[in-house]
Amino acid sequence: LAQFDMPIDLTLYLVTDSTPNVLGDGDLLHIVEEAVNGGVSIVQYRDKHAETGELISMATKLHQVTQRMAVPLLINDRVDVALAVGAEGVHLGQDDMPIATARKILGKDAIIGITATSIEEAQAAHKGGADYLGVGTVFATPTKEDTKSIIGTAGIAAILQAMEDFKLPSVAIGGINASNVQRVLHQTSISARHSLDGVAVVSAIVAAKDPRKAASELKYLVQNAATKIYPAILPNAVAVKDTAALIQRVPNIVKKHGETNPLCHNMTNLVVQNFAANVCLATGSSPIMSNNGNEAPELAKFRGALVINMGTVTSDSLSNYLIAMKAYNAALNPVLFDPVGGGATTIRKDAVKNLMAGGFFDVIKGNEGEIKTVFGGPDAKQRGVDSGPSTSTTQEKAKLVTELARRERNIILMTGSMDFLSDGDRTLTISNGTPLLGQITGSGCALGSTIASYVAIHREDKFLAVLAAILHYEIAAERASAQKTVRGPGTFVSAFMDELSLIRQESMNGKDDWCSGAA
Ligand code: 3NM
Ligand code: MG
């Protein structure tokens, strides 16, 4: 067996596939050579159909290429083939040769990787002396239809986190490509200690028109994921924890928002289009109400944010949401998800699942029922779009938003008479607002638009940006409700618009006491 003294570099792990669906009439040897030139750091030869003679012949040729380029070659399943060609190691699934047997045959220097789908499998692989883990399946993929389970980014993160007492190098696999790789890395990196070392791909390289270009693009995205993509706090910013200190910073952010005038792209429901657009204008953003996903790549070039509000979801709108989310994720502009009525019907529950798997949401905002639906589990049922009577204590709600924010690596806002806001590290309750907000349509949806544009202009601390948006919105509502001219929901709406606009103007004029009494 060839010696490989360098530590294994899992940054970009190529798994080959020789089936017509993936390889087509491509030349595998050439593709691997191009891919390694483009930045692939480790290659696994995987062919579930070829005869032993063919495997050995191809593996020999592949090994000549990988040796020349100083990257290790592993063989899927077949310890005998690895031995025959002197490859650097093997990758074993749960149904393949036990790791102890493989180790005995291949020796201590061989690289042995194990596929793990659960915490138990990861622990067993570590105990057995695996050199690295392939964890998955992240997303459903046509490349491997017999996968045991789709565990999503949350499943990957749970496995990484469970490896508390040991750190085993790990790559995620299954449906990873250039459009999702950075958020997969982001959503699975609980901490520097619990994060992936790279990603494994098949079709994103093997089936690419230009495998070298595909590999170099993926490599760039992997290497820049940690610093570039969606952190709740930018590396040079401080996570202020003290509530009073946080509130003190709000007027300045409202000022910046008013001056910056970000774009607020709303893919929202029919009921609230007009109201949400007016709230955007009053708070200081430029609204565009477009439910056509194909407009998103152009709009995502501006400084702005996307709101996906599935209040009147159709199968057609779902695909538009997914296209738009991809564009905003790629442009690193924030996306807010408002899973309106998420638990009400099977269609909506499925939409929530599809959207959660289809991209990264910087903020998820919903009422108790909606947030429970996003969280999943037995509590996730809802009658209409309203939350219904609460079944949880304040403690339980705080725990729910904190856990969900940790799991999704984003900001969660659960609205109600008391709002719960968390970035997984900081969790706050906010009791501003007025019951009149519950008597008009679209007040929650328009809050979503407000939050999105605030996150767009204050990327350094998204938690603080969301807090600023809520206080701007809810204190305006409070001030409106206190006016003598306001006799009910009708007069409230016009007074509310005025106050939203006034708070913005006050902040832009340097006034900073309007939120000092926030609770
Ligand atoms: N193993 P693609 S998923 C080979 O979950 C393989 O263990 C998987 O292909 C696992 O990058 C998979 O084209 C196929 O989605 C991944
Ligand atoms: Mg196998």
Side-chain angles (χ1 to χ4, degrees):
L1 222 61
Q3 286 278 342
F4 232 85
D5 291 335
M6 289 179 286
I8 332 167
D9 178 0
L10 296 173
T11 312
L12 183 56
Y13 184 135
L14 172 66
V15 182
T16 70
D17 189 310
S18 303
T19 59
N21 281 347
V22 181
L23 183 60
D25 54 10
D27 170 1
L28 188 63
L29 206 57
H30 181 65
I31 289 171
V32 169
E33 181 160 13
E34 286 286 287
V36 176
N37 266 318
V40 159
S41 58
I42 181 166
V43 178
Q44 179 196 134
Y45 175 41
R46 179 175 182 271
D47 188 333
K48 297 284 195 191
H49 307 290
E51 301 290 352
T52 305
E54 208 182 326
L55 286 175
I56 289 178
S57 153
M58 179 51 90
T60 304
K61 289 184 217 155
L62 286 171
H63 199 212
Q64 281 163 5
V65 170
T66 57
Q67 274 187 310
R68 182 154 35 85
M69 307 178 80
V71 301
L73 176 71
L74 311 182
I75 311 293
N76 184 274
D77 296 1
R78 296 288 298 266
V79 174
D80 55 339
V81 174
L83 264 182
V85 307
E88 280 71 39
V90 289
H91 184 87
L92 303 173
Q94 291 292 324
D95 303 324
D96 298 329
M97 183 185 286
I99 183 165
T101 316
R103 180 64 75 196
K104 216 184 275 170
I105 297 173
L106 294 174
K108 67 173 178 30
D109 292 328
I111 300 170
I112 302 183
I114 299 287
T115 297
T117 290
S118 65
I119 293 169
E120 293 70 28
E121 287 175 2
Q123 282 163 342
H126 172 252
K127 257 178 101 182
D131 294 296
Y132 77 87
L133 290 181
V135 282
T137 307
V138 191
F139 306 117
T141 171
T143 311
K144 186 174 178 179
E145 277 160 358
D146 62 337
T147 50
K148 270 192 283 183
S149 47
I150 312 294
I151 59 175
T153 50
I156 304 285
I159 292 175
L160 294 175
Q161 204 169 15
M163 301 196 287
E164 261 171 15
D165 309 322
F166 59 92
K167 167 84 176 87
L168 206 49
S170 311
V171 283
I173 186 162
I176 296 173
N177 55 48
S179 76
N180 60 25
V181 61
Q182 287 194 311
R183 69 147 178 125
V184 166
L185 290 166
H186 171 72
Q187 289 184 285
T188 54
S189 62
I190 308 298
S191 68
R193 191 172 153 72
H194 305 296
S195 58
L196 291 168
D197 298 273
V199 294
V201 302
V202 182
S203 52
I205 290 177
V206 179
K209 241 191 260 146
D210 183 343
R212 184 200 285 233
K213 194 162 152 249
S216 88
E217 188 191 354
L218 280 164
K219 179 99 162 203
Y220 175 83
L221 292 169
V222 173
Q223 288 179 328
N224 289 282
T227 49
K228 245 185 91 182
I229 196 99
Y230 327 113
I233 290 253
L234 290 184
N236 56 351
V238 181
V240 176
K241 290 202 177 201
D242 176 64
T243 308
L246 277 164
I247 291 171
Q248 213 173 28
R249 283 167 202 243
V250 163
N252 241 329
I253 297 168
V254 176
K255 180 174 194 274
K256 182 162 84 172
H257 181 263
E259 287 167 354
T260 314
N261 190 223
L263 184 77
C264 190
H265 177 176
N266 290 271
M267 301 184 95
T268 193
N269 66 74
L270 303 168
V271 185
V272 305
Q273 300 267 2
N274 177 252
F275 182 65
N278 277 330
V279 166
C280 285
L281 290 174
T283 56
S285 68
S286 279
I288 180 161
M289 318 309 278
S290 166
N291 286 320
N292 185 345
N294 293 322
E295 285 192 306
E298 240 176 291
L299 295 171
K301 289 189 184 134
F302 297 101
R303 179 164 186 148
L306 173 68
V307 175
I308 294 179
N309 173 312
M310 50 170 244
T312 44
V313 71
T314 64
S315 47
D316 181 49
S317 55
L318 185 58
S319 54
N320 278 295
Y321 297 158
L322 289 166
I323 295 168
M325 177 162 39
K326 209 171 257 189
Y328 275 79
N329 279 177
L332 298 175
N333 271 329
V335 186
L336 177 139
F337 183 32
D338 193 341
V340 180
T345 62
T346 310
I347 298 246
R348 284 182 197 234
K349 277 186 215 152
D350 287 346
V352 168
K353 275 201 195 121
N354 276 317
L355 287 165
M356 296 295 293
F360 176 71
F361 292 112
D362 298 72
V363 184
I364 301 175
K365 173 213 145 286
N367 60 33
E368 188 180 336
E370 289 154 2
I371 294 299
K372 280 183 174 165
T373 300
V374 171
F375 192 80
D379 268 359
K381 33 182 187 308
Q382 230 184 322
R383 189 170 41 91
V385 296
D386 52 342
S387 199
S390 176
T391 50
S392 306
T393 64
T394 301
Q395 287 281 320
E396 286 165 344
K397 288 182 198 167
K399 186 163 172 274
L400 174 69
V401 295
T402 310
E403 276 181 21
L404 187 55
R406 276 199 193 139
R407 188 185 87 188
E408 296 301 326
R409 305 268 297 139
N410 65 1
I411 312 283
I412 303 293
L413 171 65
M414 186 163 96
T415 53
S417 57
M418 186 187 266
D419 305 315
F420 291 77
L421 174 65
S422 182
D423 67 355
D425 179 32
R426 295 168 285 178
T427 301
L428 270 186
T429 58
I430 301 144
S431 304
N432 291 99
T434 158
L436 279 166
L437 282 172
Q439 293 174 35
I440 59 171
T441 54
S443 62
C445 303
L447 172 60
S449 306
T450 309
I451 290 169
S453 63
Y454 267 90
V455 175
I457 62 99
H458 196 71
R459 293 288 304 268
E460 45 270 59
D461 183 354
K462 291 191 274 190
F463 179 84
L464 180 54
V466 176
L467 179 66
I470 299 171
L471 293 185
H472 183 170
Y473 195 87
E474 294 191 340
I475 290 176
E478 243 169 51
R479 285 182 11 177
S481 73
Q483 286 169 21
K484 284 195 196 73
T485 48
V486 171
R487 295 178 298 135
T491 39
F492 168 69
V493 170
S494 45
F496 179 40
M497 289 293 171
D498 289 347
E499 293 301 327
L500 283 171
S501 171
L502 283 168
I503 285 180
R504 165 179 160 228
Q505 284 165 34
E506 287 167 22
S507 301
M508 286 171 74
N509 291 334
K511 204 163 177 302
D512 60 4
D513 59 350
W514 58 267
C515 64
S516 55

